[in-house]
Each structure stands twice: as structure tokens, then as C-alpha cells.
Amino acid sequence: MARGRRWWTVPFGACFALVAVPGDAAELRRLEVTPAQGGATAVLLLSAPVRAAVRDVTAPDGTPARVYVDLPHGTRLGRGALRAVPASAPVGRARIGVGEHGEVRVVLDLESPATYRVRRDGRRLALVFAPIAESKAPAPPAPPAPTARAPTFPPRPKIVLDPGHGGHDPGAQGYAVEKDVTLAIAKRVGLLLGEKLGAEVVLTRSADATLPLAARTERANAEGADLFVSIHANASPHPRLHGVETYYLNNTHDRGTIRLAAMENGLSLPMPARGGADLRYIVSDLVQAAKMEESIALAAAVQRGLVGHLRARYGGVADLGVKRGPFYVLVGAYMPCVLVETSFLTHPTEGRRLAARAYRDAVAEGIYTGIARFLADARRARTL
């Protein structure tokens, strides 16, 4: 193979591109994101050529939500690599982390649709991003060949349900108290999963107990859970807001989501400032980047199941959709994980409904339906 610069074009939706470069353990000295010809270029400067894997994860609309670069085991982080990295559209945020086994991962979150190319020039590895104009977006790529790996779940999956808040933390309050509503719903979901699917169900709390956010995913990891579902009830200072929404873990610039995450996280700010280096968020990125597609699929299945079940029984149920958000309770999970905001406690109709057992049972049945559909789809995909 001739020496010199090499280019690969990676279409949006692609899941793997390999940049094969010989070399021993090296040091990542710097990460830069700079504007370039209407887009942006992310450059990894290393002390020596390395073998790097470049992958992306798609959002529900089929465009990349993030791109990440895995460097080989043993790659070291130089001091320059730990500096904050300014963003440049379409790259909304850039981070670096080290996994449990020593692998270095660079994560690039995209704030708008883009294509990218991978370029190697000796010790420099560059990803060149070009935004996609909505009016000039290319046609969707052909469906991939059936070689993609589907998630594997045992015949009797273990599912950890997390009733939000509890004990000294009442959560949101309106026509009912969130900690009471979420516990009642979680118990009912667990009963349905056990009776109808034969699933092994674990609740992070089964009584009105105070439980730190980090302890919830730690429990799921310790149990070796296949899925983690955190159940919540929404609230707003605007009493007319209502509806159902489901979240997966990722960063966002949406102010409404950031305010909601701050409320659920019990923080004045839900995330470190851009360029910050909160270790749990970085490590979670390393783990969840590989699980994001499954988490998105789980969130979509739960949202469809919950909205469909409620609409068949109640009027005025608003579908607020599947969204991404920086919810701390999902950080660190080793399995697909989602957070469900079942309805608004502060809305005159939904708040009164959440205070009634019949509606809470309907919510539980909808969540069960979504989880069951996700598991069935995953098993069916394995047989293709």
C-alpha cells in the first residue's frame, strides 16, 4: 500500500470504518475541533501512528447522533489531551475518556445532520464533517445487509425498574406526589413482566426509601440486568403542559430538556459546563455509545406502547416523542436504559389521572407493552 494520505467517505448511518495504521502504544497529545469549509474538522494528534476504529451511532431520524474513535489498548493521554475542546458546528461537543480496560475513546456529538470523511496523515487522524442542508439531503441509504448484530436477551431476561425519587426526595408535586406515583407504577410493571413474560424483575426500591441516583444504575449493573427503565412523572410551572415522553442518555441543547434533567437530577445544572470532565459522564459515554442504538430502540418501543395504550382508554393524550437528555440516573448503566416521563402531575387532567389507580395501572400496562415489544423485536432480529 502506498504511503501518504488516505481518505474514506463514511455516509451517515454507517456504523463502522477502520483506519488501519501500524504502530505500538502511543500517546494522544491533543484533540482539536476547528471550522473548515462550512463544516468542521476534528483532529487527533498522536505521538505515533495507531490503529483506530471510527464508528457512528444514528439518531431516530437516521442521521448520526455521534461519532466516536476508539484508540488501541495502552494508548496514553497526554496533558494536552485533557484540555477543554471548543465546539464548532456541526460538532456540538467533544470529549475524551478512558475505559475500564484502558481503551481511549474520543466522542464527538453532532448537533445537526452531517456526513464525514476520515483522513490519516502520519500521526494525525482527522475527521472532516460537512453539514447536510435540509433541502439537499441525499436520499436515505439502502438498507444494510443483514449482518448487523442484534442484541441478545435470554429467554428469562432480568429487568431493573427504577421508581424515581423516594424517601426524603419527594420528586415533583402537583395533584399527587411523584415518589408515590412512580412506586405504584413500577410495582405494577414488575408484576406484568413477571406474569406475562416470565422476566426476573428487580426494583431499585420497593418502599418509600431514599436512594442516591448513582446507586440505581449501580444496582442494575450488579444484578447483571438486561434492561434498565427509570419511571418518573413530569411537572412544569406552566400548568397547560401535558403529555408523555421517553428519554435516552445523551447531551442536548434543548432548554426544556435541560430544565427537566436539572429537576430529575436534583441539581441547579444537569451537566458540567461544555468541555468539563465529569468522570461518570465520560465513562458512561464509553459504555453507552455501544448501547445507544438499543437504548433508542427501547425508548421508541416504550413510547409507542405507552401512548398507544393510554390513547385507547383516555382522551387528550399528547405524544411528546423520544428525546435525548443528560439524566444522571442513566449514567454508568452497562445495558440499554431509558427514562419515562409518564404524564404531568401539574396538569389539571393528567395530574388527577395520576392520582387515580386506574390511570396508573394503564400507564404500567403501556410501559409493559413497550418493553415486551422491544424484547420480541430483538429476538426476531436475531433469527433473520
Side-chain angles (χ1 to χ4, degrees):
M1 184 178 294
R3 294 180 178 273
R5 297 179 178 178
R6 299 174 176 84
W7 288 86
W8 291 260
T9 299
V10 185
F12 59 90
C15 45
F16 185 82
L18 188 64
V19 184
V21 187
D24 298 323
E27 179 180 87
L28 176 58
R29 293 179 172 173
R30 191 165 66 250
L31 170 64
E32 297 176 342
V33 179
T34 57
Q37 297 179 347
T41 299
V43 176
L44 285 70
L45 181 62
L46 298 120
S47 62
V50 299
R51 183 179 178 88
V54 182
R55 301 177 174 88
D56 65 56
V57 179
T58 57
D61 63 1
T63 61
R66 77 172 29 161
V67 177
Y68 57 99
V69 182
D70 284 334
L71 300 176
H73 176 80
T75 302
R76 303 181 304 276
L77 286 180
R79 290 188 178 182
L82 300 177
R83 295 182 303 177
V85 181
S88 180
V91 179
R93 190 166 184 241
R95 286 147 300 154
I96 302 172
V98 180
E100 295 182 16
H101 305 294
E103 67 278 12
V104 171
R105 172 168 289 177
V106 175
V107 181
L108 304 167
D109 288 313
L110 302 185
E111 61 184 17
S112 58
T115 57
Y116 64 93
R117 295 185 291 176
V118 181
R119 173 185 180 182
R120 181 188 67 85
D121 183 8
R123 297 179 295 113
R124 295 167 59 89
L125 178 63
L127 288 83
V128 182
F129 294 89
I132 302 173
E134 291 187 9
S135 59
K136 299 180 180 179
T147 56
R149 293 177 295 173
T152 303
F153 297 104
R156 189 168 181 264
K158 179 179 282 190
I159 301 170
V160 171
L161 301 176
D162 173 46
H165 307 278
H168 299 306
D169 174 16
Q173 299 183 59
Y175 291 86
V177 179
E178 184 176 9
K179 68 175 183 177
D180 300 328
V181 168
T182 59
L183 182 58
I185 292 172
K187 286 182 175 180
R188 179 64 178 165
V189 175
L191 186 64
L192 293 170
L193 289 169
E195 289 181 349
K196 296 187 176 185
L197 291 186
E200 183 179 353
V201 179
V202 176
L203 269 64
T204 56
R205 66 178 182 94
S206 56
D208 185 18
T210 303
L211 191 64
L213 294 177
R216 299 170 188 254
T217 44
E218 287 172 1
R219 174 71 181 278
N221 291 337
E223 292 284 349
D226 297 295
L227 302 176
F228 177 80
V229 178
S230 189
I231 299 171
H232 292 256
N234 221 328
S236 171
H238 307 289
R240 299 179 68 177
L241 286 180
H242 67 290
V244 177
E245 54 194 358
T246 306
Y247 289 86
Y248 61 94
L249 179 65
N250 204 341
N251 298 308
T252 182
H253 300 300
D254 179 76
R255 292 186 178 183
T257 298
I258 290 172
R259 284 194 297 269
L260 174 62
M263 179 179 70
E264 298 293 7
N265 293 344
L267 302 171
S268 56
L269 289 174
M271 288 288 290
R274 178 171 289 191
D278 183 287
L279 183 58
R280 274 182 60 81
Y281 279 105
I282 291 174
V283 172
S284 184
D285 273 330
L286 298 175
V287 175
Q288 278 296 316
K291 296 292 183 182
M292 184 180 290
E293 289 185 79
E294 295 170 37
S295 293
I296 292 172
L298 175 59
V302 169
Q303 181 71 10
R304 286 196 307 270
L306 181 51
V307 170
H309 194 79
L310 290 178
R311 281 181 172 173
R313 291 156 179 79
Y314 297 89
V317 176
D319 183 355
L320 301 182
V322 172
K323 303 176 181 179
R324 59 184 185 179
F327 293 93
Y328 202 75
V329 71
L330 302 180
V331 171
Y334 293 167
M335 70 292 299
C337 57
V338 298
L339 182 147
V340 189
E341 292 285 356
T342 55
S343 292
F344 278 74
L345 287 162
T346 47
H347 185 263
T349 300
E350 286 190 353
R352 290 187 176 96
R353 286 174 177 175
L354 283 170
R357 178 174 178 177
Y359 187 77
R360 294 195 300 267
D361 285 351
V363 168
E365 290 158 9
I367 294 174
Y368 157 77
T369 299
I371 294 173
R373 180 180 296 160
F374 170 79
L375 292 171
D377 288 347
R379 292 191 180 107
R380 189 158 45 246
R382 293 294 298 180
T383 65
L384 295 178

